[in-house]
Amino acid sequence: MVTEVIYSEETVLDMLRKLENDLLKGNIILVERLPPVRETEKYRDHIANILREFHKAFILIRIVFADGVRRGYAIIISGEGELGEIPQRGIVEGLEVEYMGDKKRKIVYRPVAFTSPQELVNNLERFAKLYHESEVRIVELKLPEAYREQTLLYY
C-alpha cells in the first residue's frame, strides 16, 4: 500500500491540538516518546536542557489505540538566541503519521514561529503533563497491551 502524503494548510498548532485530543482519549493502550529520559528526570526539563545546549530539539510521540490505529507525531523545534538559554525565538515544524490497517498516511503541517521562551516552556509543560496523565490511565486500567516486553517505537 502506498503512503498518502498530505501537505496541510493547517499549522503545527492545529497538529498540537490533535495530539492533545489523542492524549485525552480513553482507548490508548500505549504511548511512547523520544528522546528517552532517566527515571529521575522530568521530560520537559530534559527537552529544555537540549534546547539550551543546541537550540534544536526533535520530539517523537507514538500513540497506539485499542482498535489498532497507530498515530505518531514528530515535532522539530529550531531556536535562536543566546546559547545556554532557552531560545528567544524560532520555529516549530511538525508532521503526523497514521497507520490504520492497510492505510498509511503522513500529514505535513505548516510551521509556526514562536517569539517567547516562556511560550515554549509553557507548551512543553502542558504536553508533558498530558503525556503523563495518559500513561497513568493506561497503568490504572492495567491494559495487557501496555505491558509488552518489546518496544513498538521501531518497527
Side-chain angles (χ1 to χ4, degrees):
M1 186 90 198
V2 175
T3 300
E4 175 186 14
V5 180
I6 300 167
Y7 291 91
S8 178
E9 287 300 314
E10 294 182 316
T11 70
V12 169
L13 296 175
D14 297 305
M15 182 193 82
L16 292 175
R17 279 190 282 282
K18 186 172 182 181
L19 170 59
E20 181 175 5
N21 288 336
D22 280 350
L23 288 171
L24 291 171
K25 290 180 180 175
N27 65 338
I28 296 174
I29 60 171
L30 185 72
V31 290
E32 297 177 304
R33 63 185 172 189
L34 277 177
V37 296
R38 296 179 201 97
E39 288 183 27
T40 58
E41 191 173 25
K42 291 185 177 181
Y43 193 76
R44 66 176 180 257
D45 295 339
H46 184 65
I47 298 300
N49 288 336
I50 290 170
L51 284 167
R52 281 185 190 93
E53 185 172 352
F54 298 102
H55 281 186
K56 187 165 284 285
F58 185 56
I59 302 167
L60 296 173
I61 299 170
R62 172 176 297 136
I63 303 171
V64 179
F65 299 95
D67 62 3
V69 172
R70 297 179 313 204
R71 193 169 292 133
Y73 295 90
I75 302 161
I76 304 160
I77 304 167
S78 300
E80 299 174 9
E82 190 64 36
L83 286 176
E85 297 177 8
I86 296 287
Q88 297 295 306
R89 65 196 164 284
I91 62 165
V92 181
E93 300 172 82
L95 68 89
E96 170 193 346
V97 295
E98 183 176 65
Y99 298 85
M100 285 187 342
D102 291 342
K103 295 181 182 178
K104 299 183 288 187
R105 181 172 68 161
K106 176 170 73 172
I107 304 171
V108 180
Y109 291 87
R110 290 183 326 152
V112 294
F114 68 91
T115 57
S116 159
Q118 192 57 49
E119 175 187 6
L120 193 58
V121 169
N122 289 346
N123 277 317
L124 287 172
E125 288 178 4
R126 189 171 111 239
F127 281 97
K129 182 180 177 200
L130 286 167
Y131 182 90
H132 176 71
E133 289 170 357
S134 67
E135 281 184 319
V136 168
R137 275 195 313 279
I138 291 169
V139 171
E140 284 176 349
L141 293 172
K142 295 184 171 86
L143 295 168
E145 296 91 341
Y147 297 99
R148 296 179 186 169
E149 292 190 21
Q150 122 185 52
T151 182
L152 290 176
L153 198 51
Y154 303 103
Y155 53 89

